[in-house]
């Protein structure tokens, strides 16, 4: 029976958790409290004063000497100095623990419960109340109660571990923390099937099962144990003890989903700033069990952990950093062990509290593993550095890099084919949703649209983040176009070159009809981009007309498309249909202008051809007149040579000379 404080230990009956000594050094009727001072109710006056904190104990030397080795030495030393008092300011457990130890020395019955056993055990060790002084001394009895009563009870183990928070390092050195942590871990990992337990009239958040053997007539025998029954009890522990329990539970082999849910439950309780909307990780951690726990809570849980009246513990900022660092270190390494929303909110708080860079990097890698589950609201993490952008854009860039590395690793892994069959945190199947890259691309486009309104965001950061994902991740660039247009609105002083550089991040051929219609009328876009959009629209219209020509041969293929379009138009609102009609008019006008430009271009091309032919003719004429002038010079030279021959031979007959000249002219004419 685990939840019992009235068990026999080693053959000796504790009398329902009551310790007593058979030897009485001084007859007394108990202790009396007078003005922060304890007195022994006896006729013998006290001869020794013990100060523990601000409380005085007026005692007798002999009962203390017979049971405590430390008091034996202190009394002996004080006698040498002529003193009859001693101060024990460093006593573990304080005045409450010493009061119980002093009562034990006087043989007064002491009630041992889970709330005082750890302090009394540490005080007994401090006072050296060993078996060497007396058999059955306080160390032996408190150790037996811990081992056989406390560690067999779920509730008592939690209470004792909670009480050890003020007993460091004594509780650690005496292995109380380790033994309680292992006991809690063993009970949390036990198979709940067949275990009979009941609730106490508290809501599910502060309830835990009663692991006792109950009678068959109990009304809650058939009730099922929810898997998160131990979350609330464990969440009352201090962070270092919680880490010890979770570490022990990991060693026992509990499922990583439950461990992650317990961590989220603990964070939701101790880090109030982690969840602002009130819905967050705590509710997510207990969704699976709330349905099986029943809608009504009747009957009170027999053994529940008592909590303070204030359910939400107050944690100072200096302690929040230690909590965040500890939680990061114990998150299970498996993917989807905790939700991406929880990781991003934890990352936000880690940046705010200046957590160690190594832990922040590890947390960023965990977010990158499941970035496709993130939402825009969780991704908008403020930048805590002065003189920079409003949101931490560099952080999102690093998350994208970790995501791409993880995607590449999973794509090369042989288990990639079975990965879509794994469940997501929300219980949906990955195969029913688009691929992870497409979802991340949509998320990045929405993020760019939001952060583009910041005038401190540089063009380089915007471009690097927009181009981080491969082209295959986006089937439509409407999201990028919205981000680009928003950036142009927030930065109206950009130069033409910067605007062209900004528009390179999107592909005009991937824009939808609405986006192309808006871009064609957008005065903020560069003219070249507008022309590209109009040209891509013209190409698509031409392809559509060409495809319509094949309608007769493929009527069966095109009929479903027409019916689907009619169905879509019937389901669309009237405002959208009016916008579609206006868009058609704009497209027709743009098409008419484009045809006019083409006709003018052809006319100019014909005029250009005519001018080119005329120019070629003029060039040919100039080349012919030059050759003619050259041959004329050659003929003059020949004529002069003939006249010189006539002067040398005057006796030659005139008729033959004329024949010679005629022959020469004839030859020249033939040459020319």
């Amino acid at each position: 029976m685990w939840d019992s404080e009235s068990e026999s230990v080693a053959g000796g009956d504790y009398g329902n958790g009551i310790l007593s000594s058979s030897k009485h050094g001084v007859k007394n009727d108990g202790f009396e409290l007078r003005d922060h001072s304890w007195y022994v109710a006896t006729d013998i006056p006290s001869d020794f004063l013990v100060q523990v904190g601000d409380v005085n104990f007026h005692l007798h030397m002999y009962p203390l000497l017979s049971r405590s080795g430390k008091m034996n030495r202190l009394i002996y030393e004080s006698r040498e100095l002529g003193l009859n008092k001693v101060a024990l300011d460093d006593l573990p457990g304080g005045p409450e623990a010493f009061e119980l130890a002093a009562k034990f020395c006087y043989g007064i019955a002491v009630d041992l419960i889970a709330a005082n056993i750890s302090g009394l055990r540490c005080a007994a060790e401090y006072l050296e109340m060993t078996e060497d002084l007396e058999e059955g001394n306080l160390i032996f009895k408190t150790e037996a109660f811990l081992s056989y009563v406390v560690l067999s009870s779920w509730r008592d183990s939690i209470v004792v571990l909670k009480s050890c928070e003020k007993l460091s390092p004594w509780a650690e050195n005496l292995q109380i923390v380790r033994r309680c942590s292992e006991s809690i871990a063993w009970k949390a990992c036990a198979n709940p099937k067949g275990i009979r337990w009941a609730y106490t009239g508290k809501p599910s958040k502060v309830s835990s099962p009663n692991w006792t053997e109950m009678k068959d007539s109990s009304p809650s025998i058939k009730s099922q144990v929810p898997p998160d029954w131990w979350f609330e009890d464990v969440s009352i522990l201090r962070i270092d003890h919680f880490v010890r329990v979770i570490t022990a539970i990991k060693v026992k082999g509990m499922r990583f989903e439950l461990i992650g849910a317990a961590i989220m439950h603990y964070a939701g309780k101790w880090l109030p700033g982690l969840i602002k909307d009130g819905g967050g990780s705590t509710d997510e951690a207990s969704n699976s069990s709330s349905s099986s726990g029943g809608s009504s809570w009747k009957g009170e849980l027999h053994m529940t952990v008592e909590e303070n009246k204030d359910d939400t513990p107050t944690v100072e900022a200096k302690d929040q950093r230690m909590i965040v660092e500890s939680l990061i270190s114990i998150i299970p390494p498996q993917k989807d062990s905790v939700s991406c929303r929880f990781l991003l909110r934890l990352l936000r708080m880690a940046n705010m509290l200046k957590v160690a860079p190594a832990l922040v990097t590890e947390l960023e890698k965990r977010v990158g593993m499941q970035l496709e589950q993130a939402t825009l609201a969780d991704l908008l993490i403020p930048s805590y550095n002065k003189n920079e952008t409003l949101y931490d854009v560099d952080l999102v860039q690093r998350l994208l890099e970790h995501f791409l590395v993880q995607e590449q690793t999973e794509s090369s892994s042989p288990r990639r084919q079975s990965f879509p069959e794994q469940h997501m945190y929300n219980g949906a199947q990955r195969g029913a949703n688009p691929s992870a890259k497409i979802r991340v691309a949509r998320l990045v486009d929405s993020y760019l649209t939001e952060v583009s309104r910041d005038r401190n965001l540089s063009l380089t950061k915007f471009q690097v983040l927009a181009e981080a994902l491969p082209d295959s991740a986006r089937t439509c660039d409407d999201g990028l176009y919205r981000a680009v247009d928003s950036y142009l609105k927030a930065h109206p002083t950009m130069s033409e070159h910067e605007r062209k550089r900004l528009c390179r991040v999107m592909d005009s051929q991937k824009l939808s009809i609405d986006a192309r219609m808006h871009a064609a009328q957008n005065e903020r876009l560069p003219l070249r981009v507008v022309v590209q959009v109009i040209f891509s629209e013209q190409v698509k219209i031409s392809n559509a007309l060409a495809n319509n020509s094949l309608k007769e041969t493929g009527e069966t293929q095109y009929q479903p498309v027409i019916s689907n379009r009619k169905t879509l138009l019937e389901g669309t609102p009237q405002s959208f249909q009016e916008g579609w009609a206006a868009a058609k008019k704009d497209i027709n006008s743009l098409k008419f202008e484009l045809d006019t430009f083409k006709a003018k271009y052809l006319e100019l091309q014909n005029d250009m051809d005519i001018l080119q032919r005329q120019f070629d003719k003029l060039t040919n004429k100039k080349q012919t007149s030059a050759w003619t002038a050259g041959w004329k010079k050659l003929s003059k030279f020949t004529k002069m040579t003939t006249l010189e021959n006539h002067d040398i031979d005057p006796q030659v007959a005139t008729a033959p000379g004329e024949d010679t000249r005629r022959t020469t002219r004839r030859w020249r004419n033939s040459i020319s």
Side-chain angles (χ1 to χ4, degrees), residues 205 228 231 261 265 281-291 425:
K205 284 188 175 181
D228 64 343
F231 286 4
H265 185 91
S281 304
T282 304
D283 295 336
E284 293 175 357
S286 59
N287 281 341
S288 60
S289 61
S290 60
S291 60
Y425 182 79

Side-chain angles (χ1 to χ4, degrees), residues 359-374:
L359 293 176
V360 174
T361 302
E362 180 65 24
L363 189 57
E364 290 176 357
K365 292 181 180 179
R366 295 301 309 273
V367 175
M369 290 173 59
Q370 47 198 95
L371 186 60
E372 69 275 6
Q373 303 173 10

Side-chain angles (χ1 to χ4, degrees), residues 447-494:
Y447 180 81
L448 286 173
T449 304
E450 187 68 27
V451 301
S452 61
R453 301 184 180 95
D454 186 4
R455 295 189 176 184
N456 294 327
L457 179 63
S458 63
L459 177 59
T460 302
K461 286 188 177 181
F462 183 94
Q463 187 176 8
V464 170
L465 187 59
E467 296 176 348
L469 291 171
D471 295 338
S472 59
R474 293 184 178 92
T475 57
C476 181
D477 280 4
D478 285 6
L480 268 182
Y481 172 70
R482 283 191 294 268
V484 169
D485 186 49
S486 178
Y487 191 89
L488 291 173
K489 288 181 182 178
H491 302 78
T493 59
M494 292 179 62

Side-chain angles (χ1 to χ4, degrees), residues 103 108 140 202 237 280 290 293 392 410 414-415 443 461 606:
K103 288 182 178 180
I108 300 175
F140 171 78
K202 297 182 180 180
L237 301 175
S290 60
D392 199 343
E410 290 183 355
R415 294 180 296 178
L443 178 63
K461 286 188 177 181
N606 294 332

